[in-house]
Amino acid sequence: MIDKEFHLERPLRWGMVGGGRGSEIGYIHKNSALRDGLFTLVAAAFDVNPERGREFGRNLGVDESRLYDNYKEMFEKEAQREDGIEAVSIATPNFLHYEMATAALNAGLHVVCEKPLCFTVKEAEALRKLAIEKQRVFGVTYGYTGYPMVHQARKMIENGDLGEIRIINTQFAHGFSSGMSELTSANTRWRQDPKIAGPTYVIGDIGTHALFLAETMVPGLKIEKLLCSPDTFVKSRAPMEDNAVVLMKFTNGASGTLWASAVNAGSMHQQKIRVVGSKASIEWWDEYPNQLRYEIQGKPAQVLERGMDYLYLDDDMVNSFRIGGGHAEGLFDAWANLYRRFGTAMDRVNHGERVEDVMKDLWFPNVNDGVEGVRFVENCVRSRDQNSVWVDYQ
Amino acid sequence: MIDKEFHLERPLRWGMVGGGRGSEIGYIHKNSALRDGLFTLVAAAFDVNPERGREFGRNLGVDESRLYDNYKEMFEKEAQREDGIEAVSIATPNFLHYEMATAALNAGLHVVCEKPLCFTVKEAEALRKLAIEKQRVFGVTYGYTGYPMVHQARKMIENGDLGEIRIINTQFAHGFSSGMSELTSANTRWRQDPKIAGPTYVIGDIGTHALFLAETMVPGLKIEKLLCSPDTFVKSRAPMEDNAVVLMKFTNGASGTLWASAVNAGSMHQQKIRVVGSKASIEWWDEYPNQLRYEIQGKPAQVLERGMDYLYLDDDMVNSFRIGGGHAEGLFDAWANLYRRFGTAMDRVNHGERVEDVMKDLWFPNVNDGVEGVRFVENCVRSRDQNSVWVDYQ
Amino acid sequence: MIDKEFHLERPLRWGMVGGGRGSEIGYIHKNSALRDGLFTLVAAAFDVNPERGREFGRNLGVDESRLYDNYKEMFEKEAQREDGIEAVSIATPNFLHYEMATAALNAGLHVVCEKPLCFTVKEAEALRKLAIEKQRVFGVTYGYTGYPMVHQARKMIENGDLGEIRIINTQFAHGFSSGMSELTSANTRWRQDPKIAGPTYVIGDIGTHALFLAETMVPGLKIEKLLCSPDTFVKSRAPMEDNAVVLMKFTNGASGTLWASAVNAGSMHQQKIRVVGSKASIEWWDEYPNQLRYEIQGKPAQVLERGMDYLYLDDDMVNSFRIGGGHAEGLFDAWANLYRRFGTAMDRVNHGERVEDVMKDLWFPNVNDGVEGVRFVENCVRSRDQNSVWVDYQ
Amino acid sequence: MIDKEFHLERPLRWGMVGGGRGSEIGYIHKNSALRDGLFTLVAAAFDVNPERGREFGRNLGVDESRLYDNYKEMFEKEAQREDGIEAVSIATPNFLHYEMATAALNAGLHVVCEKPLCFTVKEAEALRKLAIEKQRVFGVTYGYTGYPMVHQARKMIENGDLGEIRIINTQFAHGFSSGMSELTSANTRWRQDPKIAGPTYVIGDIGTHALFLAETMVPGLKIEKLLCSPDTFVKSRAPMEDNAVVLMKFTNGASGTLWASAVNAGSMHQQKIRVVGSKASIEWWDEYPNQLRYEIQGKPAQVLERGMDYLYLDDDMVNSFRIGGGHAEGLFDAWANLYRRFGTAMDRVNHGERVEDVMKDLWFPNVNDGVEGVRFVENCVRSRDQNSVWVDYQ
């Protein structure tokens, strides 16, 4: 069970860029950061429309004087205050992540950034270098990996409960863009625009979630080569893909598939992962996140439930839980688990630890994971652009 | 979608009694009240051990001077402050609810109280009378009814989608006390002690949740007669029951069963409800709260998903949702939905509306619902004490 | 795995009464008896309309001369043949079972009879007495108990895997008569006519299946007292009930509920059973008959699959299976398992064993089980007729 | 509902090659052929061990004089009889199919053959040519396609209920060879031996089932190009693969994946298919064959149940069912549906119809489907042998 009295000496002073009125992602960032008292929201540049952003901030109770027109103004003005922000979350469309994250690090801020960090590995590496140089924590909101049962799976795999890992099939395949949802949803529209979203649609948007889920469950997982086979079923979306299958060969000898889709008609998320070992398999589905299916070859399949004593319980905050078994935890709880870790990491660095050491010691989706997401997209694009051949992973 | 900018003129000043260190119920009260910014926690008497309670409160950031030894001191001292609490949540074992809630109302506070309100209908009626007399909001934390799909079911039934209601089978039947869990769990122990828990174990502890779920889904539901058949499978628990089936005949001609159990070995909650009408049935399970099964006779069964456009969407806050479909919401979200309603009701009464009018206009588990829970237990006891005969509901 | 070469010295000469054109139950009797080569169909009186029955029989390849106008003629004429039938199956509406089964036994035939055997315990006891006196096998087609996983459950319970049995909840609650299906379905109509169906509708028609499922899984189960609470939701069916809940106290200290319904709108069968012990529970559902859920308190729930090595495998034919795990077996296979046992029992008696000994040694739904089904209905009626009070089981 | 009086003028005289003692596949062939009275088993060469085969045949009641040492003798001797066999089923290991099927056709017999027909497309085409030339029916036992819900899916797709077909993901991925099962199971051993099984293990053994399931559901489906990515996780099996993913592009613009595996630890069959259209998707799983999930984008998911009136009901025998909804049908019923069609086709050809016309008019897995299975394997091998590149489908 999560330590419900866990607290920092004092909460971290925290600001937001983006995530204003009507933003679902902003809402969950805010809920998660504030959930456990590790952060207080003291400043924001919520909106490209400054007035609308300010009104939004006032409603949240943020001091009027710290509601800024844009991130540049915020970083500058906050830096001049004794009680200026120490950390910032970036919840804007993709194309802004790189410049904002760079500016935030340069302003000496810890950063929590939406994925993808940026559009090229070169940029991503620059962000990593900068974060280390500035000794700032850089968290990436791969929110689904905050679910405790994902970490139960990770520990089972680490512990060898599955034997040698052979097959990893991971997918995030919703159906919400089966029709031309971009005509009515601004949120869908920008994700299909390469200038705003980056070089891919579903691969970057949701495929990277499916990949990071696999990377979290299987520690040390590295792709050796891959092949990306994309489709554009709604033709007007070309050259952006709305469906893709990626075949992967991993350095540990395992094989894998990743299916990302926005045209899997009638499905909700279908974000599912199955990891197959020589002795057993596990299967997890984000729509039913409190259960983990564990299938030992030759034995009855088991359904493990969050919150039970038979799980691997330890001091690891994410692997723990907020309420007893049987009760449902949801995505807000998963995200709060991540922010709890982000805050803990920031506090440790604030108290003098090297950020590299904290990253080794405390699991959280960090800048390295962000870089790997960008790298995956870049390799997929490279395969795609050669008519879906196998490419060595670079 | 829930209005994410919903806010009060100012948050309500709120205190807690009980719910200190190690309390799961206290944790969820606190998380829920603070979630949407309608309440601020400014005072508390967290613990029978005042020092432990104070330390706990300090960790939460409550002002030392407002961490009290007990509820009496808190109510008295807070009443003397300009900025004293306006609302209090009571999260103590059952036997204290009545005296604390009475004192709180007499101190002019809005009250959120754990169920059961008290041990007798007479006391419950006294609380109701007092709440109306004092014009205070009295909320009861039947937390599961905060789940949006429960309200989708309610609207479907109101709308006649099921036809005439014929059968209501509701249950909360866990297995956590299959063995003598009371030997190791203090939390289980007091629930089996009639002096602390009241005249029943599972009927009051979890059966009332299953009942209120039915009452919420089927508006206007009233029991005409019932029969209670209890068991004590772990003999040392006698005369308290650890399993019970209640048969009910309702005034609308429907029949029902309620199964409450703590010895349903291997089950998690098994809090499930099935409502059968002349045309269709619905089924909902709190372990998978984002789905609602809808079965029209002669048609394929349907699985309704939280967050989708095809649901009955309206201005009703609880029927709405915090994040899009496919994502999982959990119990913390459900409770937050209730506290959002409690806060809204309190604010409306603070602004001059009669509490009776607010209770008619805004659904929330209120003092009437609390009274009905106590009445159910009392009627069950009456049947039980006559060897499980049918009794007219009084 | 079932012994696929199992055979008798020679197949039994077998006839049918009822089960002609359009009869679903006749079809399954025939499929099951012929499946494993233990029976050959040589004579029949298929239909109340003799000509239609003869045409039906010809289509099946039965010798014209052995297609009879009615059962009396068949029993008489066949008795005069050297190669006359040795066994007969009775697949007519309920009110005919008693006279036909009596006549068959008196004609020296082994009998397979649909449930209920008759309308009163007195008649049922007379049939039992006659079967023993005539030393004839009397099988009753409680078809669902032919499913292998039912016997896996039985063996687990016998073996103590669940601990002491505490709770048995069994149900068969379909929705096919939610509307006035009797207006269009002759099959439904006669089941609601007390002259043809007996004193109850759903209790006898499907409730006895749910009861026998419980009796099969829990060896030695005996009811001590019961209470029957029926409903007639479609008023024109009165006094026949279309829904009923029966509470039971068993002699072993366990409690139980049985739910029988024809108005459980939108459900298919909902024939389910949950047996709860002090250590674990099992749950089985006839719509997914190849799986058995096994839940040990404090452990992950397990899903046992038919056909796997980890099951209790023995020489018992029914507990065995016809094809490997993963493949689905269905109701025809379950029934064939029963007929295989009926045929085996008949062959053993034909070879000189006492029928009482065979009944002890070889599980099959026999005349005793048929008597118990009638007894259950009679006790339910007794409770019902006293306004649903508890009655001692007689 | 299937026509339960359906019968031929006289049953077809039928023989078997292989499928003797201990053969699971032989058992199901026999059960299925005899189920509906379209065939009588009158001759066989059951076993490579003639004496064991004869003993087995005697137990089944086959006339001693028609139990042969081998297929050659059987075809020769039966041809000399007035009442010789008209049809033969071949249930031997793969490498014998070609020579036996060729001999059977040359002997003027209708043939039912296990898949794969042979090892090369050239041979397969020769069989097709011979079958047409001899005007004999050639059925292939893709048994899973006998399930009624597969044909409900086919009709929904034909009818446009899914819109344009975009994605077809099909799989058969069991875990029974996760360990070295070949050491203990002869049945597994020969399937991994290229001389007996052909050039692939899982692709041919189970992948072709998954392919034909897709071909059955989506009429007119043709592969344009494919890429086969195999793995050999148990190294001693090399060069045979025990896991493979095949990517496919179809001529209708759809994309697909096929996953075949024998090392999917802990899974039973995992033979599942999901067909995604522009408007809706369907999903079917052979372990729960009586249900079909139908997901219309933007609507609640539906669960269609076998046996219900809302299905596409027509005169088509396979799309129909043997017992009402709620009851489970299983693999034996599915196979019997196929044999019913094989028998019908043979009878029609016996009565003078051209076999090409019958194949157009009556769906059954026929020689063309057998050829396509072999072609699929050959194309997979071609891709595999070039390091898993895309190959144009030939």
Side-chain angles (χ1 to χ4, degrees), chain D residues 115-135:
Chain D
K115 36 102 341 224
L117 301 195
C118 49
F119 292 175
T120 67
V121 172
K122 198 177 153 190
E123 288 171 346
E125 295 284 12
L127 281 174
R128 167 154 59 186
K129 189 156 165 283
L130 188 60
I132 302 299
E133 185 186 311
K134 298 286 182 183
Q135 282 293 303

Side-chain angles (χ1 to χ4, degrees), chain C residues 115-140:
Chain C
K115 38 97 348 219
L117 301 195
C118 48
F119 292 176
T120 66
V121 172
K122 195 175 157 192
E123 288 171 347
E125 295 283 13
L127 281 174
R128 167 153 59 188
K129 188 156 166 283
L130 187 60
I132 302 299
E133 185 186 311
K134 298 287 181 182
Q135 281 294 301
R136 294 292 85 180
V137 171
F138 195 112
V140 185

